[in-house]
Amino acid sequence: MSFGKGCHLHLIDGSAYIFRAYHALPPLTRKSDGLPIGAVAGFCNMLWSQLANNKGKDGPTHIACVFDYSSKTFRDDIYDKYKANRPELPEDLRPQFPLTREATKAFSVACLEMENYEADDIIATLARQAREAGGDVTIISSDKDLMQLVGGGVEMFDAMKNKRIGIDEVEEKFGVKPDRVIDVQALAGDSVDNVPGAPGIGVKTAALLINEFGDLETLLERAEEIKQPKRRQALIDNAELIRVSKRLVTLDDHTPVEWSLDELEVKEPEAESLMEFLARMEFRTLTKRVADALKVEPPVTPDAPAVPVSHEKDEAPVEVDVPPFDHGKYECIRAAEALGRWIDLIRERGYVAVDTETTSLDEMLAELVGISLSVIPGEACYIPLGHRRGDGDLFGASEPAEGQMALDEALALLKPVLEDDAILKIGQNMKYDWKIFARHGVRIAPIDDTMLMSYAMYSGLHNHGMDGLSDRYLGHRPIEIKSLLGTGKSQITFDRVPIDEAVKYAAEDADITLRLWQAFKPNLHRAQVTTVYETLERPMVEVLAGMEMTGILVDAQTLSRMSNAFAQKMAGLEAEIQELAGAPFNVGSPKQLGEILFEKMGIQGGQKGKTGAYATGADVLEDLAAEGHDLPARVLDWRLLSKLKSTYTDALQNHVHPETGRVHTSYSIAGAATGRLASTDPNLQNIPVRSEEGRRIREAFVAGPGMRLVSLDYSQIELRILAHVADIPELKEAFREGIDIHALTASEMFNVPVEGMDPMVRRQAKAINFGVIYGISGFGLARNLRIPRAEAQGFIDRYFERFPGIKDYMDTTVAFAKENGFVRTLFGRKIHTPEINAKGPHAGFARRAAINAPIQGAAADVIRRAMIRMPAATRGLPAKMLLQVHDELLFEVEEGAVDKLIATAREVMEGAAHPAVHLNVPLVVDAGQGANWAEAH
DNA sequence: TGCGTCACG
DNA sequence: GACGTACGTGACGCAC
């Protein structure tokens, strides 16, 4: 077919694909020889998705994938510093380049590259030719340098965000139509590509100027007319540099391409050569997926998938030989005899992967439906115990399904195994199963947990859910639970799943867990996180399971009364607000509120966010209230009450367990990258305390009859850890002497005595101390203290001058992260920082996170150690640990034992770092007690 | 489902 | 007057 009207050309920005793939994936190597292939794998997946998603009549008629040939191009002759800021190519990426070309050809996509030209120029040229021939063009890329090409039948498509980029989107980004984009880029320059532009002019200002003067040449000729002196001078002084910049950013759409559009016609991939390539790369999952789509048999491949390697330098990947997944091999156990054979097998092996199926994600409400076991990869069984026939009546009641062992009988047989010290029970998220078994009188131990192994090795790189781990590390996508239960209103519970289907799903989970364990176990050591896993992760399972099952007593009546009071107050405020607005509207809608404030009432200074809605955050409303506007002040009051009511007084009532009368949160051990816990369903780590009204909610968290609540919290733990790791003599001294640390900081910085310090000065020093922990920036501190940015920067400079060790610590930490891709806490916990070497705004986030992680993480490690020791230390005391709130532990204890508990728990907490780490600052714990949490805190 | 908002350390 | 920033979480209501 000759290219012309009705044709549609897809141009893929291949080089961008490679870099995205490289950075998005952990470093993978080919199993047989260790060749790095992560980027190739990602590239192939993206290319295949692109092809597969664009089949049919709306798809392309012609397609090509375009690459950069080498770093040298004609632009280097225009400006010798062009792209001089580019970081060195990572060592393990370069060898993957030729393979991506090979991959492109294997998928039967034209592979284009030209010496001396960037991919962007080739794309520009082909796009122009296609447009002139009357066809349409889609450029698969989100690169802003290509946006100048949009319009007249050419658009872009951001494959990551699945979003087309047309004229409107370009205008949104650059503030001008696509044909003026190069003018804006020439003025604004680009630090990544080292395009100079005009100093002090960014995209916003550039767009303003271009829109005012029409185009760049006119602007430069009439630069004298610009009102702002700085801008005027910048343009006059740099006119030549700006013209050079324009030549740099202008794509050459007349490159001497040697291909005709007709040659780019879409072709079906040749199955045989494509299969050969994918098999040679050892991409198991993709090979299978492509084979299915092409309806051919996948070639026989080595079974093990690419093996992940951590960033640690001295480790080698561990290879595991495993059979393919086969759901047909899973056994359904319906009688004691068959179960007995499995138990024999487990005893022979000494370990078993276990998984439970239940009716709910809430372990306190869930009913046990079945148990699956696996001891050999590829072989697993499922024991259905609580399945029901699908034909229940309207109320959901129905008879048990046939062919199941009695629950008690099965548990009686399994209990000795599950409790046997000599048999390791392996699970994924074992805290869940631990609680389910505990509710049936089985104390499962000892355990290993693949989720926690992944967390110890890969925290910060990805999540640790089983499906994701299986896909990533076993190259296998498990059966989705959705396919059994459905979603939304018609969703069923697991006990309604037909046993035949349940076997495949449930046994597969045990199979996967066992395989993950085999893959992870030896790598813990290589990643040097064995101690972290053994001392900070695994022991948490039992401790937290106990706390969660105990729960905390909540007085629902108090909450209900508060809800009613809030509702009344809110109704009054709502009436006042609508009166002030002069129209009824939904006070809870930020969108409607913004329109009332900044349009109907005509208040000036409304800022629109990226979604086009006005910002109405508390800071904005506070400013307006300070200017004397009543309505925003009322809205702030209303919002406080609305938050308290919906999130706390209303929602908490629904979390009171029908049998225990207590609230049972669930802690995720592997949720936060830094090692902190996270509390969900409900979140009991964010119960209000800062506002007076909010704090009253804590009055509803009460001790049982004859009991008291005791709260112990670490004082300034993060600053103490900072003083230790950054080794700051003045701070360490102050902590040893028990001096007010914020006052000390202020004193050192501003040369004022600690005695009789102005509270405002102390407040500023406190903000700086917090800022340091967060990876301080002038902007952030300025916003927090509501002072000019220059002043904030002045504070920071003085702080670093006074405490140079802090600056050193920050620089060293960031350098370590850049070198290794992770940081470590004092206790060895690894937190990966994959974005640390990124360019653009990501880099700032990653930098600050890297500075914060070792401090926040070490504090998290300390309290974990305390929690793990607590059961043994408090054995015999009539006390239970109920909650953890990052630096606080809450206990419920019999009245007579309060003092003893405080003494014991304080000793454990203050000494929690020992003996692993000898802190050279003391840890101090404050304690309180009362009938409810408000009093105890 | 994504976003804005706001509760906590 | 370049860009966009304090770190880490979870839950709610709105609007699509």
Side-chain angles (χ1 to χ4, degrees), chain A residues 884-902:
Chain A
Q884 188 249 45
V885 192
H886 309 308
D887 63 358
E888 172 187 5
L889 292 176
L890 190 72
F891 295 81
E892 186 176 32
V893 52
E894 275 181 22
E895 264 166 327
V898 167
D899 293 342
K900 178 77 179 127
L901 175 81
I902 289 178

Side-chain angles (χ1 to χ4, degrees), chain A residues 395-692:
Chain A
F395 306 99
S398 82
E399 295 297 307
E402 283 167 24
Q404 301 183 87
M405 285 180 73
L407 182 69
D408 291 347
E409 186 189 7
L411 281 176
L413 288 170
L414 282 169
K415 184 174 157 92
V417 174
L418 295 174
E419 295 185 342
D420 189 331
D421 281 348
I423 298 171
L424 179 67
K425 274 68 65 176
I426 302 154
Q428 161 75 15
N429 188 15
M430 260 300 209
K431 179 159 65 68
Y432 185 91
D433 307 274
W434 198 99
K435 289 166 77 175
I436 297 295
F437 282 121
R439 284 180 47 214
H440 289 89
V442 175
R443 251 185 86 99
I444 184 169
I447 56 142
D448 246 343
D449 190 327
T450 48
M451 180 181 80
L452 300 184
M453 289 180 168
S454 173
Y455 184 57
M457 291 190 285
Y458 308 123
S459 182
L461 282 184
H462 51 70
N463 295 332
H464 314 283
M466 193 189 71
D467 291 6
L469 294 179
S470 176
D471 191 20
R472 191 179 288 264
Y473 296 114
L474 304 176
H476 172 74
R477 290 198 184 178
I479 301 171
E480 291 186 47
I481 189 70
K482 273 191 294 189
S483 71
L484 272 63
L485 305 185
T487 55
K489 232 178 136 184
S490 57
Q491 191 169 355
I492 58 169
T493 46
F494 202 85
D495 54 342
R496 304 291 165 140
V497 174
I499 291 176
D500 293 352
E501 282 181 56
V503 169
K504 295 184 187 128
Y505 171 86
E508 184 189 63
D509 277 4
D511 186 6
I512 289 169
T513 303
L514 185 72
R515 292 173 196 241
L516 284 173
W517 179 73
Q518 293 197 334
F520 287 165
K521 190 91 184 176
N523 281 336
L524 282 176
H525 176 69
R526 289 179 165 76
Q528 299 180 5
V529 291
T530 306
T531 307
V532 169
Y533 172 72
E534 299 285 352
T535 64
L536 295 173
E537 312 294 355
R538 191 165 62 172
M540 290 301 284
V541 171
E542 190 178 331
V543 174
L544 291 174
M547 290 167 66
E548 295 171 12
M549 290 183 70
T550 305
I552 182 165
L553 190 59
V554 168
D555 181 356
Q557 282 201 341
T558 303
L559 291 176
S560 171
R561 274 203 305 276
M562 293 174 96
S563 278
N564 291 336
F566 289 148
Q568 283 200 0
K569 278 200 198 173
M570 282 169 71
L573 281 168
E574 213 164 311
E576 281 185 58
I577 289 165
Q578 301 196 344
E579 169 88 35
L580 286 166
F585 73 102
N586 183 346
V587 182
S589 161
K591 186 165 170 273
Q592 293 181 32
L593 175 64
E595 283 158 12
I596 292 279
L597 285 170
F598 300 112
E599 285 171 15
K600 185 156 186 308
M601 298 179 62
I603 297 178
Q604 293 302 301
Q607 298 272 329
K608 283 195 177 181
K610 54 188 159 196
T611 53
Y614 289 104
T616 65
D619 48 349
V620 176
L621 297 189
E622 275 163 24
D623 287 344
L624 295 179
E627 288 166 25
H629 294 287
D630 277 343
L631 190 143
R634 298 279 190 284
V635 172
L636 283 168
D637 293 343
W638 183 90
R639 279 205 186 148
L640 175 77
L641 297 177
S642 159
K643 180 79 176 182
L644 295 179
K645 182 172 186 297
S646 67
T647 308
Y648 301 104
T649 56
D650 285 353
L652 272 175
Q653 294 181 58
N654 301 324
H655 281 286
V656 175
H657 192 279
E659 283 161 34
T660 66
R662 298 168 76 101
V663 171
H664 307 266
T665 183
S666 178
Y667 289 101
S668 52
I669 312 178
T674 54
R676 273 197 179 178
L677 301 178
S679 159
T680 63
D681 307 302
N683 181 354
L684 295 185
Q685 291 182 319
N686 72 347
I687 303 302
V689 70
R690 293 175 188 167
S691 78
E692 182 57 42

Side-chain angles (χ1 to χ4, degrees), chain A residues 836-852:
Chain A
I836 193 84
N837 288 316
K839 289 281 161 198
H842 290 316
F845 278 114
R847 201 189 109 85
R848 292 190 296 272
I851 291 169
N852 174 259

Side-chain angles (χ1 to χ4, degrees), chain A residues 193-215:
Chain A
D193 288 349
N194 213 23
V195 173
I201 307 273
V203 171
K204 288 263 164 71
T205 315
L208 221 63
L209 291 169
I210 294 298
N211 282 326
E212 189 179 341
F213 288 85
D215 62 61

Side-chain angles (χ1 to χ4, degrees), chain A residues 105-128:
Chain A
K105 289 171 193 153
F107 280 101
S108 298
V109 171
C111 172
L112 313 183
E113 55 189 321
M114 268 172 79
E115 201 171 347
N116 210 19
Y117 291 93
E118 292 184 46
D120 292 356
D121 298 309
I122 302 172
I123 290 173
T125 303
L126 292 172
R128 176 188 56 80

